[in-house]
């Protein structure tokens, strides 16, 4: 019996090439700079220097309807073991709703503090830089494929890992706040981490970050 194999014709190959080009040249750059001005994208921010040789990153921004002094407490209480992440709670907070008010006993935040990144507490962000009402930089160093954290300051990095920072930078904008969120990351081996960045992490970050922007705006508007 003769075997039949499906093959891609010239039209299908051309369509795929156009789709990849459209994503790479138009959609991906807009996704990685969503809401940010050219000046905001070009600027350096605290935390950029924490991941030398970063080979991935994004700069996204939004305007929030409150001054930095009002926005800051919402950021200061983030974490799965605290106020949540204000994003898609089923995906990043175990289905528990993120806080809808400022909780005083979650306001204590210090450099080096760990904020759980998953409900089990098996992984976390570390507070890497902190200037109240101005800058909050969270750092994540993860072994691959286990997903367990490691300490980059003690011993060499694992053979396979991802190190990244997630920085929140606040600036007054009249009566409002301009919130710029900068990510920087470096992963090894690149042959493994690069496809994961393109196919999963970048789209996932876009979905989660834009949701966080939306929910922070809604909470601040209700609290006004």
């Amino acid at each position: 019996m003769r075997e039949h194999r499906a093959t891609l014709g010239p039209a299908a190959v051309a369509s795929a090439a156009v789709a990849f080009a459209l994503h790479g040249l138009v959609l991906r750059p807009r996704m990685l700079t969503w809401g940010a001005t050219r000046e905001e994208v070009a600027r350096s921010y605290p935390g950029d220097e924490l991941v030398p040789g970063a080979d991935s990153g994004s700069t996204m921004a939004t305007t929030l309807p409150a001054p930095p002094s009002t926005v800051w407490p919402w950021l200061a209480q983030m974490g799965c073991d605290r106020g949540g992440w204000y994003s898609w709670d089923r995906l990043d907070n175990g289905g528990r709703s993120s806080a809808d008010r400022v909780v005083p006993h979650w306001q204590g935040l210090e450099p080096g503090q760990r904020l759980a990144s998953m409900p089990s507490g098996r992984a976390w962000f570390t507070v890497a830089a902190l200037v109240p009402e101005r800058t909050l930089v969270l750092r994540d160093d993860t072994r691959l494929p286990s997903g367990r954290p490691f300490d980059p300051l003690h011993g060499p990095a694992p053979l396979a890992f991802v190190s990244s920072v997630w920085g929140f930078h606040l600036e007054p904008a009249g009566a409002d706040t301009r919130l710029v969120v900068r990510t920087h990351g470096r992963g090894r081996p690149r042959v493994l981490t690069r496809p994961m960045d393109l196919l999963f992490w970048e789209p996932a970050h876009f979905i989660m970050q834009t949701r966080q922007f939306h929910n922070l705006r809604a909470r601040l508007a209700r609290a006004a």
Side-chain angles (χ1 to χ4, degrees):
M1 184 176 182
R2 187 174 180 179
E3 183 178 354
H4 293 275
R5 297 184 179 180
T7 59
L8 292 177
V13 173
S15 297
V18 169
F20 279 118
L22 179 64
H23 175 75
L25 297 175
V26 180
L27 299 181
R28 182 171 176 264
R30 294 190 64 183
M31 181 175 69
L32 296 179
T33 59
W34 184 265
T37 66
R38 291 184 179 180
E39 189 272 336
E40 288 167 339
V41 172
R43 283 180 57 184
S44 296
Y45 289 94
D48 289 354
E49 75 285 357
L50 296 177
V51 183
D55 45 33
S56 64
S58 64
T59 304
M60 301 172 66
T62 192
T63 299
L64 298 175
S69 60
T70 301
V71 174
W72 177 260
W74 293 91
L75 300 181
Q77 66 184 20
M78 292 190 299
C80 283
D81 50 345
R82 307 167 86 235
W85 300 105
Y86 314 118
S87 188
W88 293 100
D89 291 323
R90 288 187 179 275
L91 299 178
D92 67 3
N93 207 37
R96 181 173 64 91
S97 296
S98 294
D100 58 4
R101 62 188 177 89
V102 171
V103 179
H105 70 262
W106 284 333
Q107 292 305 302
L109 199 61
E110 299 178 352
Q113 185 173 342
R114 292 177 176 178
L115 307 181
S117 59
M118 58 175 58
S120 68
R122 287 169 55 89
W124 55 82
F125 291 103
T126 301
V127 178
L130 173 65
V131 180
E133 301 183 15
R134 181 72 177 182
T135 293
L136 173 60
V137 178
L138 306 180
R139 176 165 183 154
D140 173 56
D141 297 280
T142 301
R143 298 176 183 271
L144 299 177
S146 69
R148 299 302 302 273
F150 71 94
D151 188 342
L153 301 180
H154 295 84
L159 293 177
F161 71 94
V162 173
S163 290
S164 62
V165 293
W166 186 22
F168 298 80
H169 308 281
L170 291 74
E171 294 186 356
D176 300 330
T177 295
R178 191 65 177 164
L179 173 61
V180 180
V181 175
R182 164 69 59 83
T183 66
H184 257 58
R186 176 174 178 263
R188 295 293 183 272
R190 197 61 179 140
V191 67
L192 170 65
T193 60
R194 181 61 174 171
M196 286 296 295
D197 285 343
L198 295 174
L199 298 176
F200 179 75
W201 290 116
E202 290 179 355
H205 176 67
F206 173 80
I207 291 168
M208 303 303 284
Q209 189 61 65
T210 52
R211 181 65 174 180
Q212 185 190 66
F213 285 162
H214 169 82
N215 285 338
L216 282 172
R217 281 195 300 270
R219 282 163 167 78
L220 288 162
R222 287 197 299 267

